[in-house]
Amino acid sequence: MEYIILILAGILFATAVYNLLQKQLLRIIIGTVLLSHGAHLVILTMGKLKRGQPPILDDAVVNYTDPLPQALILTSIVISFGITSLLLVLAYRTAQENKTDNMEEMRGESNE
């Protein structure tokens, strides 16, 4: 099962890099979102989520669940949501000011 998730994460990383190399701002933002989703899957796979009891110390429980991967993924999701929101607002404002979202057109002339 882990191999399938890692293959999916690799596909997300490849698609993210492809979108990051595009000329439109929205595709660049989609690339960053896909990159963060791929990172979430890698963290999830590396953490090897196990089934067990909550990590509360008790003599009767021998199989505990590690909460660290879930905490890291949750923190990563919140950070990527904030970054995505910021990038979308900046892209909207840039497209409004420059009347384009094409990076080549925003670069301008070499003699300016």
Side-chain angles (χ1 to χ4, degrees):
M1 181 67 177
E2 290 93 17
Y3 295 117
I4 295 172
I5 296 174
L6 287 176
I7 290 171
L8 179 62
I11 291 171
L12 283 174
F13 283 135
T15 309
V17 169
Y18 175 77
N19 279 323
L20 284 171
L21 296 174
Q22 297 298 313
K23 294 179 183 178
Q24 290 83 18
L25 281 175
L26 188 59
R27 288 189 181 198
I28 294 171
I29 294 170
I30 290 172
T32 60
V33 169
L34 290 176
L35 191 68
S36 68
H37 287 318
H40 298 158
L41 283 176
V42 168
I43 293 171
L44 180 73
T45 306
M46 297 293 287
K48 295 182 181 175
L49 294 179
K50 300 172 186 158
R51 299 196 183 269
Q53 296 296 321
I56 299 172
L57 295 178
D58 189 10
D59 292 335
V61 179
V62 294
N63 190 13
Y64 291 106
T65 303
D66 186 15
L68 185 62
Q70 296 156 354
L72 288 174
I73 291 170
L74 183 61
T75 304
S76 177
I77 288 171
V78 170
I79 291 170
S80 66
F81 178 73
I83 289 173
T84 302
S85 301
L86 176 70
L87 288 176
L88 284 172
V89 168
L90 288 176
Y92 176 74
R93 182 72 176 146
T94 303
Q96 229 179 9
E97 286 292 319
N98 296 324
K99 306 288 190 260
T100 184
D101 69 338
N102 192 333
M103 295 297 286
E104 292 293 326
E105 294 175 12
M106 283 191 283
R107 185 168 294 153
E109 300 287 327
S110 61
N111 60 5
E112 287 183 17

